[in-house]
Amino acid sequence: MIVFVTKQIAYIFNARKDQFLLDIIKSIILGIVEGITEFLPISSTGHLVLVDEFIKMQQPKQFTDMFNVVIQLGAIMAVVVLYFHKLNPLSPKKTGREKKNTWNLWLKVIVAVLPSVIIGLPLNDWMDEHLMNWAVVSATLIIYGILFIIVENRNEKKKSDLHARYSDLDSLPYSIALFIGMFQVLSLIPGTSRSGATILGAILIGASRYVGTEFSFFLAIPTMFGASLLKIVKFFAKGGSLGGEQGVILLVGMVVSFVVAYLSIRFLMNYIKNNDFKAFGWYRIILGALVIGVNLFLL
């Protein structure tokens, strides 16, 4: 009897150990997906929703929902590290004017984040319940992919990026920052892409690709910190608990997303020096069509 019980305990322990290792691998995969897609205009949330259809961690849904949002903190920290000097208003290496411009930049970011706070908070639970699915993601992937191609074709004809009204962040007015923030509200719908909506909005309003992309990065900092804090509070408020294994799974995902996002940001900023966003538009359209095709076939 004692031998039987011991064998059963050992079997359960080994099974849990194997499952934990499998969830770590899945966390690494999701971290890579998050790191690549957070700042490219192709929708990180949309990709995580799609990947979750095929790679499901053996964890409670309450934890995985929180995980998919909070691992974005790793990607956001990549922005903080890469742009620390530019974002630091207290840097002793900056002149008085540069420090003032940095404070103004942060105020513009705060103004831009307000629409998402005002509109997003009341709708957060409803959107989680009704919009986190492949149908919504595929539709928004295609719609915004088409918009990117249309806008970039217009820019190509007008050469607007060469003669952009706002070619540096210091020249960006508060009113324009607010308009960009309103475009970010669109990204509350999964598959839209927070970076995609804000960059597209910035270009339409008259910012250069470079300015629109950088401002989108900086706008992500309070937006994603706020979204992550909200998810964590709701997770614990609904009785969730972060055990040792779940803590490790979450930490691994965040670290991986940080490393990959760091490389992804550097790639994107180099890419847009000589290229437009049409390639991302076509990628979105193709991916959206594939998702629709696969899911209709499975139905």
Side-chain angles (χ1 to χ4, degrees):
M1 181 65 179
I2 294 175
V3 173
F4 174 77
V5 171
T6 303
K7 286 183 177 179
Q8 291 302 308
I9 293 173
Y11 174 78
I12 294 171
F13 175 79
N14 288 328
R16 285 190 59 189
K17 183 179 178 182
D18 291 342
Q19 188 56 61
F20 171 64
L21 292 175
L22 191 58
D23 280 345
I24 288 290
I25 293 171
K26 293 175 181 178
S27 177
I28 292 171
I29 294 171
L30 291 169
I32 292 171
V33 172
E34 164 60 27
I36 292 173
T37 59
E38 179 60 43
F39 299 108
L40 301 184
I42 54 177
S43 178
S44 61
T45 302
H47 277 75
L48 289 173
V49 169
L50 295 177
V51 172
D52 189 59
E53 295 283 334
F54 303 97
I55 301 176
K56 292 184 180 292
M57 287 191 287
Q58 297 302 307
Q59 300 291 334
K61 186 178 184 300
Q62 194 176 4
F63 170 77
T64 56
D65 288 345
M66 182 268 290
F67 173 91
N68 284 342
V69 174
V70 176
I71 60 166
Q72 296 176 1
L73 284 178
I76 299 307
M77 286 306 298
V79 175
V80 175
V81 171
L82 273 168
Y83 290 94
F84 184 77
H85 176 71
K86 191 166 190 173
L87 294 171
N88 181 13
L90 304 177
S91 173
K93 296 180 181 179
K94 288 184 175 179
T95 64
R97 182 177 181 80
E98 288 173 333
K99 290 178 180 179
K100 182 181 178 181
N101 287 339
T102 305
W103 283 116
N104 282 332
L105 173 60
W106 275 111
L107 288 174
K108 292 171 189 176
V109 168
I110 291 170
V111 167
V113 83
L114 290 177
S116 293
V117 174
I118 295 169
I119 298 172
L121 279 176
L123 296 175
N124 185 261
D125 289 338
W126 183 88
M127 289 186 294
D128 280 353
E129 185 176 348
H130 295 91
L131 301 182
M132 289 289 188
N133 57 72
W134 68 265
V136 172
V137 170
S138 57
T140 49
L141 280 170
I142 293 172
I143 290 169
Y144 283 92
I146 294 171
L147 286 175
F148 260 116
I149 293 171
I150 292 172
V151 169
E152 287 293 17
N153 282 337
R154 185 205 68 169
N155 282 356
E156 191 174 7
K157 291 178 182 178
K158 295 184 177 181
K159 298 183 179 178
S160 60
D161 204 49
L162 295 175
H163 305 94
R165 194 180 311 165
Y166 310 110
S167 56
D168 63 79
L169 288 170
D170 294 338
S171 69
L172 199 70
Y174 282 89
S175 58
I176 297 301
L178 180 61
F179 275 118
I180 295 173
M182 290 178 180
F183 276 95
Q184 181 171 253
V185 174
L186 299 172
S187 69
L188 295 172
I189 302 173
T192 299
S193 171
R194 190 206 56 78
S195 62
T198 50
I199 292 171
L200 194 63
I203 293 173
L204 284 170
I205 291 169
S208 67
R209 294 187 193 98
Y210 204 89
V211 168
T213 303
E214 274 202 338
F215 192 75
S216 174
F217 290 168
F218 302 154
L219 184 52
I221 297 172
T223 301
M224 297 318 304
F225 269 108
S228 297
L229 179 62
L230 179 63
K231 279 292 182 183
I232 291 170
V233 169
K234 285 186 175 182
F235 175 73
F236 287 111
K238 292 180 179 179
S241 59
L242 203 60
E245 289 186 1
Q246 290 181 337
V248 172
I249 291 168
L250 181 60
L251 181 61
V252 167
M254 290 175 63
V255 170
V256 172
S257 69
F258 167 81
V259 174
V260 177
Y262 185 95
L263 299 173
S264 181
I265 292 170
R266 297 192 64 157
F267 159 77
L268 182 60
M269 297 312 291
N270 285 322
Y271 177 85
I272 62 175
K273 289 178 181 177
N274 301 304
N275 300 277
D276 58 27
F277 287 104
K278 280 191 283 188
F280 296 110
W282 284 113
Y283 170 82
R284 293 176 64 104
I285 293 169
I286 293 169
L287 178 61
L290 283 173
V291 171
I292 292 173
V294 169
N295 280 277
L296 289 179
F297 176 78
L298 293 176
L299 292 175

